[in-house]
Amino acid sequence: MSRPLPPLNALRAFEAAARHLSFTKAAEELNVTPGAVSHQVKALEDMLNVPLFHRLTRALRLTVAGQAALPTLVQGFDKLAQGVEQMRTYCESGVLIISVSPSFGAMWLMPRLEKFRSRHPDIEIRIDGTDRLVDLARDGADVAIRFGPGGYSGVRVDHLLTPVNTPVCSPALLNGEHPLREPDDLRHHTLLHIDWSNAEASWRMWLLAAGLHDIEPTRGPHFNLENMAVQAAIDGQGVALVADVLVADDVAAGRLVHPFDPGFSTPLKFCYYLLSAKDRAEQPKIAAFRDWLLAETRSAEPGDS
């Protein structure tokens, strides 16, 4: 369908000048001179045979025609910008940028990622290890894996894993001068702490739930990343309280053990989620990663083989 339109530069000049009510500020935005903006707007008015501005002394005021056109033009240029961004994204359709927390990325995702790469060798992976909030529409990431309470708005949300908090330690701590057999034995061992933002994941809450009120809940080293605390546990430096899904591979390999029965694990309110922008969620690279990741997490949930 034919769309007879004035030159795009003239429309951009009018839209910017109308938003700012200033040729000078419009020129700064468009990186041209005020005279160039004024010339483009005058050319547009001549072409349409409609005045768009009242030119006052040191001021601009929109005419009725200018006021009527401005909202639609603003929306139109916003849509154009979105279209350009989508073209830019599709130009890099073979690159998948994954934003993931460093610990989950290192401890859970990395050991499994080669399986995805072998299935999709045409998709190049880039990992952004961070816990910061990301804007999937603007920050460049295609997907984000986050640990949180849910309720994310404006994005597609897929539930991945529901962890429980469980003590883990080196098998060496099960023997020795003070064998670790019962929760009360923790008084003879170092507690390794992860500085969670939610108190329910702390040793204090776990010890209270286990009925142990006379063990100091804050003693022992503190870590801001789970993988550092877990490495300390593997090295026999103490007992870490950590999400079970993060240490499943270490337990399976015998590097860590659960010293107590499963009844001493505590459920968490937070879960792991995959987030993706709604308008790009069905891009082939994103859909392929989502399908693979959901299959992997289903097999990793407790009770699955």
Tab-separated table of all heavy atoms in Angstrom, residues 152-210:
chain	number	residue	atom	x	y	z
A	152	TYR	N	7.331	-11.051	38.535
A	152	TYR	CA	7.986	-10.154	37.594
A	152	TYR	C	6.972	-9.661	36.576
A	152	TYR	O	6.170	-10.435	36.052
A	152	TYR	CB	9.126	-10.879	36.884
A	152	TYR	CG	10.170	-11.445	37.818
A	152	TYR	CD1	10.141	-12.789	38.177
A	152	TYR	CD2	11.161	-10.641	38.360
A	152	TYR	CE1	11.085	-13.319	39.044
A	152	TYR	CE2	12.111	-11.159	39.227
A	152	TYR	CZ	12.072	-12.497	39.565
A	152	TYR	OH	13.006	-13.009	40.420
A	153	SER	N	7.004	-8.369	36.264
A	153	SER	CA	6.022	-7.786	35.350
A	153	SER	C	6.691	-7.372	34.042
A	153	SER	O	7.882	-7.066	34.008
A	153	SER	CB	5.347	-6.570	35.994
A	153	SER	OG	6.298	-5.562	36.290
A	154	GLY	N	5.911	-7.384	32.984
A	154	GLY	CA	6.379	-6.901	31.692
A	154	GLY	C	7.262	-7.860	30.926
A	154	GLY	O	7.797	-7.509	29.876
A	155	VAL	N	7.448	-9.092	31.434
A	155	VAL	CA	8.299	-10.071	30.770
A	155	VAL	C	7.612	-11.428	30.809
A	155	VAL	O	6.698	-11.677	31.599
A	155	VAL	CB	9.682	-10.182	31.444
A	155	VAL	CG1	10.475	-8.899	31.283
A	155	VAL	CG2	9.546	-10.556	32.922
A	156	ARG	N	8.054	-12.332	29.927
A	156	ARG	CA	7.614	-13.722	30.026
A	156	ARG	C	8.397	-14.376	31.160
A	156	ARG	O	9.609	-14.222	31.275
A	156	ARG	CB	7.856	-14.469	28.723
A	156	ARG	CG	7.638	-15.970	28.892
A	156	ARG	CD	7.602	-16.746	27.623
A	156	ARG	NE	7.529	-18.167	27.910
A	156	ARG	CZ	7.072	-19.080	27.077
A	156	ARG	NH1	6.635	-18.719	25.879
A	156	ARG	NH2	7.056	-20.353	27.411
A	157	VAL	N	7.703	-15.122	32.016
A	157	VAL	CA	8.323	-15.755	33.174
A	157	VAL	C	8.095	-17.262	33.093
A	157	VAL	O	6.954	-17.717	32.968
A	157	VAL	CB	7.738	-15.210	34.492
A	157	VAL	CG1	8.397	-15.883	35.687
A	157	VAL	CG2	7.902	-13.699	34.565
A	158	ASP	N	9.176	-18.034	33.170
A	158	ASP	CA	9.091	-19.494	33.225
A	158	ASP	C	9.751	-19.973	34.509
A	158	ASP	O	10.921	-19.652	34.768
A	158	ASP	CB	9.785	-20.125	32.014
A	158	ASP	CG	9.040	-19.871	30.717
A	158	ASP	OD1	8.055	-20.596	30.472
A	158	ASP	OD2	9.433	-18.959	29.973
A	159	HIS	N	9.001	-20.735	35.300
A	159	HIS	CA	9.558	-21.291	36.541
A	159	HIS	C	10.570	-22.382	36.200
A	159	HIS	O	10.324	-23.242	35.351
A	159	HIS	CB	8.440	-21.871	37.397
A	159	HIS	CG	8.933	-22.613	38.605
A	159	HIS	ND1	9.172	-23.962	38.591
A	159	HIS	CD2	9.249	-22.185	39.851
A	159	HIS	CE1	9.614	-24.346	39.778
A	159	HIS	NE2	9.667	-23.282	40.563
A	160	LEU	N	11.712	-22.344	36.886
A	160	LEU	CA	12.756	-23.336	36.635
A	160	LEU	C	12.883	-24.333	37.784
A	160	LEU	O	12.690	-25.531	37.588
A	160	LEU	CB	14.100	-22.628	36.410
A	160	LEU	CG	14.194	-21.709	35.191
A	160	LEU	CD1	15.572	-21.058	35.130
A	160	LEU	CD2	13.909	-22.484	33.911
A	161	LEU	N	13.243	-23.862	38.971
A	161	LEU	CA	13.542	-24.754	40.086
A	161	LEU	C	13.028	-24.167	41.398
A	161	LEU	O	13.073	-22.956	41.595
A	161	LEU	CB	15.052	-24.969	40.208
A	161	LEU	CG	15.751	-25.731	39.071
A	161	LEU	CD1	17.251	-25.488	39.117
A	161	LEU	CD2	15.437	-27.215	39.147
A	162	THR	N	12.549	-25.042	42.273
A	162	THR	CA	12.164	-24.655	43.619
A	162	THR	C	13.145	-25.310	44.587
A	162	THR	O	13.043	-26.509	44.857
A	162	THR	CB	10.733	-25.111	43.941
A	162	THR	OG1	9.828	-24.544	42.989
A	162	THR	CG2	10.330	-24.674	45.348
A	163	PRO	N	14.125	-24.577	45.093
A	163	PRO	CA	15.148	-25.194	45.938
A	163	PRO	C	14.717	-25.319	47.390
A	163	PRO	O	13.771	-24.670	47.834
A	163	PRO	CB	16.330	-24.226	45.807
A	163	PRO	CG	15.668	-22.901	45.596
A	163	PRO	CD	14.403	-23.167	44.824
A	164	VAL	N	15.430	-26.174	48.107
A	164	VAL	CA	15.338	-26.207	49.564
A	164	VAL	C	16.734	-25.959	50.110
A	164	VAL	O	17.732	-26.277	49.464
A	164	VAL	CB	14.774	-27.546	50.095
A	164	VAL	CG1	13.358	-27.751	49.625
A	164	VAL	CG2	15.670	-28.713	49.676
A	165	ASN	N	16.799	-25.363	51.277
A	165	ASN	CA	18.076	-25.074	51.914
A	165	ASN	C	18.512	-26.272	52.742
A	165	ASN	O	17.733	-26.771	53.574
A	165	ASN	CB	17.945	-23.836	52.802
A	165	ASN	CG	18.977	-22.796	52.447
A	165	ASN	OD1	19.487	-22.776	51.340
A	165	ASN	ND2	19.282	-21.917	53.384
A	166	THR	N	19.730	-26.722	52.536
A	166	THR	CA	20.178	-27.933	53.217
A	166	THR	C	21.635	-27.817	53.632
A	166	THR	O	22.444	-27.236	52.894
A	166	THR	CB	19.978	-29.154	52.293
A	166	THR	OG1	20.331	-30.345	52.995
A	166	THR	CG2	20.825	-29.045	51.041
A	167	PRO	N	22.011	-28.333	54.793
A	167	PRO	CA	23.422	-28.342	55.183
A	167	PRO	C	24.204	-29.363	54.349
A	167	PRO	O	23.721	-30.466	54.089
A	167	PRO	CB	23.387	-28.760	56.660
A	167	PRO	CG	21.979	-28.564	57.096
A	167	PRO	CD	21.141	-28.808	55.883
A	168	VAL	N	25.416	-28.992	53.963
A	168	VAL	CA	26.309	-29.902	53.246
A	168	VAL	C	27.718	-29.728	53.802
A	168	VAL	O	28.086	-28.667	54.300
A	168	VAL	CB	26.314	-29.648	51.722
A	168	VAL	CG1	24.984	-30.036	51.097
A	168	VAL	CG2	26.657	-28.192	51.409
A	169	CYS	N	28.509	-30.799	53.693
A	169	CYS	CA	29.880	-30.735	54.184
A	169	CYS	C	30.723	-31.768	53.457
A	169	CYS	O	30.207	-32.603	52.704
A	169	CYS	CB	29.926	-30.992	55.693
A	169	CYS	SG	29.413	-32.662	56.161
A	170	SER	N	32.008	-31.723	53.694
A	170	SER	CA	32.918	-32.727	53.161
A	170	SER	C	32.669	-34.063	53.857
A	170	SER	O	32.364	-34.100	55.059
A	170	SER	CB	34.359	-32.280	53.397
A	170	SER	OG	35.252	-33.365	53.211
A	171	PRO	N	32.803	-35.180	53.131
A	171	PRO	CA	32.661	-36.490	53.786
A	171	PRO	C	33.612	-36.655	54.962
A	171	PRO	O	33.324	-37.431	55.891
A	171	PRO	CB	32.993	-37.481	52.662
A	171	PRO	CG	32.706	-36.738	51.402
A	171	PRO	CD	33.050	-35.308	51.683
A	172	ALA	N	34.722	-35.919	54.955
A	172	ALA	CA	35.695	-36.049	56.043
A	172	ALA	C	35.113	-35.651	57.386
A	172	ALA	O	35.571	-36.133	58.434
A	172	ALA	CB	36.930	-35.204	55.734
A	173	LEU	N	34.105	-34.766	57.389
A	173	LEU	CA	33.534	-34.307	58.652
A	173	LEU	C	32.611	-35.342	59.287
A	173	LEU	O	32.183	-35.165	60.441
A	173	LEU	CB	32.778	-32.997	58.455
A	173	LEU	CG	33.590	-31.782	57.994
A	173	LEU	CD1	32.760	-30.513	58.120
A	173	LEU	CD2	34.884	-31.643	58.780
A	174	LEU	N	32.286	-36.400	58.571
A	174	LEU	CA	31.443	-37.439	59.138
A	174	LEU	C	32.219	-38.316	60.106
A	174	LEU	O	31.638	-39.127	60.838
A	174	LEU	CB	30.844	-38.314	58.024
A	174	LEU	CG	29.967	-37.583	57.000
A	174	LEU	CD1	29.385	-38.580	56.011
A	174	LEU	CD2	28.856	-36.788	57.678
A	175	ASN	N	33.548	-38.178	60.098
A	175	ASN	CA	34.407	-38.941	61.000
A	175	ASN	C	35.311	-37.970	61.746
A	175	ASN	O	35.168	-36.765	61.635
A	175	ASN	CB	35.234	-39.955	60.204
A	175	ASN	CG	34.357	-40.904	59.405
A	175	ASN	OD1	33.593	-41.678	59.966
A	175	ASN	ND2	34.460	-40.840	58.073
A	176	GLY	N	36.244	-38.461	62.501
A	176	GLY	CA	37.166	-37.590	63.211
A	176	GLY	C	36.809	-37.450	64.675
A	176	GLY	O	36.006	-38.214	65.245
A	177	GLU	N	37.377	-36.438	65.301
A	177	GLU	CA	37.206	-36.264	66.745
A	177	GLU	C	35.762	-35.979	67.115
A	177	GLU	O	35.255	-36.455	68.140
A	177	GLU	CB	38.101	-35.123	67.229
A	177	GLU	CG	38.025	-34.891	68.721
A	177	GLU	CD	38.930	-33.754	69.178
A	177	GLU	OE1	39.629	-33.163	68.312
A	177	GLU	OE2	38.919	-33.446	70.384
A	178	HIS	N	35.070	-35.185	66.279
A	178	HIS	CA	33.661	-34.858	66.526
A	178	HIS	C	32.851	-35.214	65.279
A	178	HIS	O	32.552	-34.343	64.449
A	178	HIS	CB	33.492	-33.377	66.863
A	178	HIS	CG	34.195	-32.953	68.107
A	178	HIS	ND1	33.774	-33.307	69.359
A	178	HIS	CD2	35.323	-32.200	68.278
A	178	HIS	CE1	34.573	-32.799	70.270
A	178	HIS	NE2	35.540	-32.123	69.647
A	179	PRO	N	32.502	-36.476	65.094
A	179	PRO	CA	31.757	-36.882	63.898
A	179	PRO	C	30.447	-36.098	63.769
A	179	PRO	O	29.753	-35.865	64.767
A	179	PRO	CB	31.499	-38.367	64.121
A	179	PRO	CG	32.520	-38.793	65.123
A	179	PRO	CD	32.731	-37.595	66.005
A	180	LEU	N	30.136	-35.709	62.560
A	180	LEU	CA	28.921	-34.941	62.304
A	180	LEU	C	27.815	-35.929	61.939
A	180	LEU	O	27.764	-36.452	60.820
A	180	LEU	CB	29.162	-33.938	61.173
A	180	LEU	CG	28.075	-32.892	60.929
A	180	LEU	CD1	27.830	-32.054	62.172
A	180	LEU	CD2	28.474	-32.002	59.753
A	181	ARG	N	26.955	-36.192	62.900
A	181	ARG	CA	25.885	-37.172	62.688
A	181	ARG	C	24.496	-36.560	62.908
A	181	ARG	O	23.563	-36.853	62.190
A	181	ARG	CB	26.062	-38.358	63.643
A	181	ARG	CG	27.450	-39.010	63.585
A	181	ARG	CD	27.623	-39.862	62.355
A	181	ARG	NE	28.991	-40.340	62.219
A	181	ARG	CZ	29.532	-41.337	62.913
A	181	ARG	NH1	28.811	-41.951	63.831
A	181	ARG	NH2	30.770	-41.702	62.685
A	182	GLU	N	24.388	-35.720	63.940
A	182	GLU	CA	23.120	-35.105	64.320
A	182	GLU	C	23.284	-33.582	64.310
A	182	GLU	O	24.396	-33.067	64.476
A	182	GLU	CB	22.690	-35.561	65.716
A	182	GLU	CG	22.506	-37.060	65.858
A	182	GLU	CD	21.316	-37.564	65.045
A	182	GLU	OE1	20.392	-36.742	64.772
A	182	GLU	OE2	21.307	-38.749	64.693
A	183	PRO	N	22.166	-32.840	64.126
A	183	PRO	CA	22.271	-31.378	64.129
A	183	PRO	C	22.972	-30.810	65.362
A	183	PRO	O	23.699	-29.822	65.265
A	183	PRO	CB	20.809	-30.928	64.058
A	183	PRO	CG	20.133	-32.026	63.319
A	183	PRO	CD	20.806	-33.290	63.787
A	184	ASP	N	22.820	-31.468	66.518
A	184	ASP	CA	23.465	-30.963	67.727
A	184	ASP	C	24.988	-31.004	67.614
A	184	ASP	O	25.685	-30.245	68.303
A	184	ASP	CB	23.013	-31.776	68.933
A	184	ASP	CG	23.466	-31.151	70.238
A	184	ASP	OD1	22.987	-30.041	70.549
A	184	ASP	OD2	24.325	-31.746	70.912
A	185	ASP	N	25.515	-31.841	66.705
A	185	ASP	CA	26.958	-31.927	66.525
A	185	ASP	C	27.539	-30.680	65.863
A	185	ASP	O	28.764	-30.492	65.853
A	185	ASP	CB	27.313	-33.153	65.671
A	185	ASP	CG	26.923	-34.462	66.351
A	185	ASP	OD1	26.973	-34.503	67.594
A	185	ASP	OD2	26.569	-35.417	65.632
A	186	LEU	N	26.677	-29.816	65.340
A	186	LEU	CA	27.160	-28.595	64.689
A	186	LEU	C	27.908	-27.682	65.660
A	186	LEU	O	28.720	-26.855	65.231
A	186	LEU	CB	25.989	-27.824	64.064
A	186	LEU	CG	25.402	-28.420	62.784
A	186	LEU	CD1	24.095	-27.721	62.434
A	186	LEU	CD2	26.388	-28.298	61.632
A	187	ARG	N	27.675	-27.845	66.962
A	187	ARG	CA	28.351	-26.982	67.927
A	187	ARG	C	29.861	-27.207	67.891
A	187	ARG	O	30.623	-26.357	68.353
A	187	ARG	CB	27.784	-27.217	69.318
A	187	ARG	CG	28.104	-28.561	69.921
A	187	ARG	CD	27.436	-28.748	71.306
A	187	ARG	NE	25.974	-28.784	71.217
A	187	ARG	CZ	25.201	-27.763	71.601
A	187	ARG	NH1	25.736	-26.654	72.061
A	187	ARG	NH2	23.886	-27.880	71.509
A	188	HIS	N	30.307	-28.328	67.344
A	188	HIS	CA	31.733	-28.627	67.263
A	188	HIS	C	32.328	-28.283	65.894
A	188	HIS	O	33.509	-28.559	65.655
A	188	HIS	CB	31.968	-30.115	67.539
A	188	HIS	CG	31.433	-30.573	68.860
A	188	HIS	ND1	31.922	-30.118	70.056
A	188	HIS	CD2	30.421	-31.443	69.154
A	188	HIS	CE1	31.257	-30.684	71.052
A	188	HIS	NE2	30.338	-31.491	70.537
A	189	HIS	N	31.518	-27.696	65.008
A	189	HIS	CA	31.975	-27.453	63.636
A	189	HIS	C	31.743	-25.997	63.235
A	189	HIS	O	30.890	-25.304	63.804
A	189	HIS	CB	31.240	-28.378	62.661
A	189	HIS	CG	31.583	-29.830	62.869
A	189	HIS	ND1	32.622	-30.446	62.225
A	189	HIS	CD2	31.018	-30.770	63.674
A	189	HIS	CE1	32.688	-31.711	62.612
A	189	HIS	NE2	31.721	-31.938	63.489
A	190	THR	N	32.518	-25.559	62.262
A	190	THR	CA	32.415	-24.183	61.748
A	190	THR	C	31.196	-24.059	60.848
A	190	THR	O	30.966	-24.908	59.964
A	190	THR	CB	33.684	-23.814	60.960
A	190	THR	OG1	34.813	-23.905	61.833
A	190	THR	CG2	33.576	-22.403	60.391
A	191	LEU	N	30.426	-23.006	61.042
A	191	LEU	CA	29.292	-22.706	60.160
A	191	LEU	C	29.778	-21.776	59.047
A	191	LEU	O	30.405	-20.751	59.312
A	191	LEU	CB	28.158	-22.042	60.937
A	191	LEU	CG	27.595	-22.825	62.126
A	191	LEU	CD1	26.443	-22.038	62.765
A	191	LEU	CD2	27.137	-24.213	61.716
A	192	LEU	N	29.484	-22.150	57.823
A	192	LEU	CA	29.831	-21.335	56.652
A	192	LEU	C	28.573	-20.606	56.210
A	192	LEU	O	27.562	-21.240	55.882
A	192	LEU	CB	30.376	-22.216	55.527
A	192	LEU	CG	31.585	-23.094	55.900
A	192	LEU	CD1	31.932	-24.031	54.739
A	192	LEU	CD2	32.777	-22.239	56.275
A	193	HIS	N	28.629	-19.288	56.168
A	193	HIS	CA	27.438	-18.471	55.932
A	193	HIS	C	27.441	-17.868	54.531
A	193	HIS	O	28.485	-17.418	54.041
A	193	HIS	CB	27.371	-17.318	56.942
A	193	HIS	CG	27.329	-17.771	58.366
A	193	HIS	ND1	26.159	-17.933	59.062
A	193	HIS	CD2	28.333	-18.098	59.231
A	193	HIS	CE1	26.428	-18.335	60.296
A	193	HIS	NE2	27.743	-18.443	60.421
A	194	ILE	N	26.266	-17.847	53.926
A	194	ILE	CA	26.048	-17.127	52.676
A	194	ILE	C	25.173	-15.924	53.012
A	194	ILE	O	24.121	-16.073	53.648
A	194	ILE	CB	25.364	-18.008	51.622
A	194	ILE	CG1	26.236	-19.224	51.308
A	194	ILE	CG2	25.087	-17.210	50.346
A	194	ILE	CD1	25.523	-20.319	50.544
A	195	ASP	N	25.601	-14.751	52.642
A	195	ASP	CA	24.878	-13.527	52.996
A	195	ASP	C	23.677	-13.346	52.092
A	195	ASP	O	23.681	-12.574	51.130
A	195	ASP	CB	25.803	-12.311	52.919
A	195	ASP	CG	26.826	-12.317	54.036
A	195	ASP	OD1	26.534	-12.892	55.100
A	195	ASP	OD2	27.920	-11.758	53.844
A	196	TRP	N	22.619	-14.101	52.363
A	196	TRP	CA	21.379	-14.007	51.602
A	196	TRP	C	20.659	-12.714	51.958
A	196	TRP	O	20.774	-12.208	53.053
A	196	TRP	CB	20.453	-15.173	51.942
A	196	TRP	CG	20.969	-16.520	51.586
A	196	TRP	CD1	21.813	-17.307	52.317
A	196	TRP	CD2	20.672	-17.260	50.413
A	196	TRP	NE1	22.060	-18.481	51.674
A	196	TRP	CE2	21.370	-18.483	50.504
A	196	TRP	CE3	19.880	-17.014	49.290
A	196	TRP	CZ2	21.295	-19.460	49.508
A	196	TRP	CZ3	19.805	-17.985	48.305
A	196	TRP	CH2	20.500	-19.187	48.416
A	197	SER	N	19.871	-12.240	51.033
A	197	SER	CA	19.040	-11.065	51.314
A	197	SER	C	17.788	-11.450	52.085
A	197	SER	O	17.162	-10.612	52.732
A	197	SER	CB	18.641	-10.370	49.999
A	197	SER	OG	17.932	-11.273	49.156
A	198	ASN	N	17.393	-12.743	52.021
A	198	ASN	CA	16.206	-13.165	52.765
A	198	ASN	C	16.638	-13.975	53.983
A	198	ASN	O	17.378	-14.939	53.896
A	198	ASN	CB	15.254	-13.972	51.879
A	198	ASN	CG	15.942	-15.160	51.247
A	198	ASN	OD1	17.096	-15.072	50.860
A	198	ASN	ND2	15.224	-16.265	51.114
A	199	ALA	N	16.165	-13.568	55.155
A	199	ALA	CA	16.614	-14.142	56.420
A	199	ALA	C	16.252	-15.613	56.568
A	199	ALA	O	16.888	-16.337	57.329
A	199	ALA	CB	16.027	-13.341	57.581
A	200	GLU	N	15.217	-16.074	55.828
A	200	GLU	CA	14.778	-17.454	55.982
A	200	GLU	C	15.875	-18.441	55.593
A	200	GLU	O	15.848	-19.607	55.996
A	200	GLU	CB	13.535	-17.710	55.121
A	200	GLU	CG	13.809	-17.542	53.636
A	200	GLU	CD	12.687	-18.104	52.774
A	200	GLU	OE1	11.970	-18.983	53.249
A	200	GLU	OE2	12.569	-17.661	51.631
A	201	ALA	N	16.861	-17.990	54.802
A	201	ALA	CA	17.912	-18.885	54.339
A	201	ALA	C	19.118	-18.901	55.265
A	201	ALA	O	20.123	-19.516	54.959
A	201	ALA	CB	18.349	-18.471	52.927
A	202	SER	N	19.032	-18.252	56.414
A	202	SER	CA	20.188	-18.108	57.292
A	202	SER	C	20.312	-19.290	58.239
A	202	SER	O	19.353	-20.022	58.516
A	202	SER	CB	20.067	-16.813	58.100
A	202	SER	OG	19.007	-16.921	59.033
A	203	TRP	N	21.532	-19.451	58.780
A	203	TRP	CA	21.752	-20.461	59.803
A	203	TRP	C	20.873	-20.185	61.023
A	203	TRP	O	20.423	-21.114	61.698
A	203	TRP	CB	23.220	-20.482	60.204
A	203	TRP	CG	24.069	-21.427	59.413
A	203	TRP	CD1	25.106	-21.109	58.583
A	203	TRP	CD2	23.979	-22.862	59.399
A	203	TRP	NE1	25.671	-22.249	58.036
A	203	TRP	CE2	24.995	-23.342	58.533
A	203	TRP	CE3	23.148	-23.783	60.025
A	203	TRP	CZ2	25.193	-24.696	58.275
A	203	TRP	CZ3	23.338	-25.139	59.776
A	203	TRP	CH2	24.346	-25.586	58.908
A	204	ARG	N	20.641	-18.929	61.340
A	204	ARG	CA	19.805	-18.605	62.505
A	204	ARG	C	18.432	-19.260	62.385
A	204	ARG	O	17.956	-19.915	63.327
A	204	ARG	CB	19.648	-17.084	62.638
A	204	ARG	CG	18.813	-16.659	63.850
A	204	ARG	CD	18.600	-15.141	63.864
A	204	ARG	NE	19.858	-14.444	63.953
A	204	ARG	CZ	20.496	-14.214	65.098
A	204	ARG	NH1	19.986	-14.657	66.241
A	204	ARG	NH2	21.636	-13.553	65.098
A	205	MET	N	17.800	-19.115	61.211
A	205	MET	CA	16.473	-19.691	61.023
A	205	MET	C	16.524	-21.209	61.006
A	205	MET	O	15.637	-21.888	61.532
A	205	MET	CB	15.857	-19.144	59.731
A	205	MET	CG	15.614	-17.643	59.736
A	205	MET	SD	14.478	-17.127	61.046
A	205	MET	CE	12.956	-17.874	60.478
A	206	TRP	N	17.576	-21.765	60.404
A	206	TRP	CA	17.690	-23.226	60.329
A	206	TRP	C	17.868	-23.813	61.727
A	206	TRP	O	17.230	-24.807	62.090
A	206	TRP	CB	18.863	-23.612	59.433
A	206	TRP	CG	18.906	-25.088	59.119
A	206	TRP	CD1	18.358	-25.722	58.046
A	206	TRP	CD2	19.511	-26.117	59.928
A	206	TRP	NE1	18.590	-27.072	58.127
A	206	TRP	CE2	19.287	-27.348	59.278
A	206	TRP	CE3	20.211	-26.110	61.133
A	206	TRP	CZ2	19.746	-28.561	59.777
A	206	TRP	CZ3	20.660	-27.330	61.655
A	206	TRP	CH2	20.438	-28.529	60.980
A	207	LEU	N	18.734	-23.209	62.532
A	207	LEU	CA	18.974	-23.719	63.876
A	207	LEU	C	17.716	-23.622	64.737
A	207	LEU	O	17.403	-24.533	65.520
A	207	LEU	CB	20.122	-22.950	64.522
A	207	LEU	CG	21.515	-23.202	63.920
A	207	LEU	CD1	22.519	-22.185	64.456
A	207	LEU	CD2	21.980	-24.624	64.201
A	208	LEU	N	16.968	-22.542	64.595
A	208	LEU	CA	15.710	-22.412	65.335
A	208	LEU	C	14.723	-23.492	64.919
A	208	LEU	O	14.041	-24.101	65.769
A	208	LEU	CB	15.107	-21.026	65.102
A	208	LEU	CG	15.799	-19.852	65.790
A	208	LEU	CD1	15.160	-18.533	65.343
A	208	LEU	CD2	15.739	-19.991	67.313
A	209	ALA	N	14.643	-23.751	63.604
A	209	ALA	CA	13.729	-24.786	63.101
A	209	ALA	C	14.135	-26.165	63.606
A	209	ALA	O	13.282	-27.043	63.810
A	209	ALA	CB	13.699	-24.763	61.580
A	210	ALA	N	15.438	-26.372	63.814
A	210	ALA	CA	15.929	-27.658	64.308
A	210	ALA	C	15.855	-27.758	65.833
A	210	ALA	O	16.221	-28.784	66.414
A	210	ALA	CB	17.370	-27.870	63.852
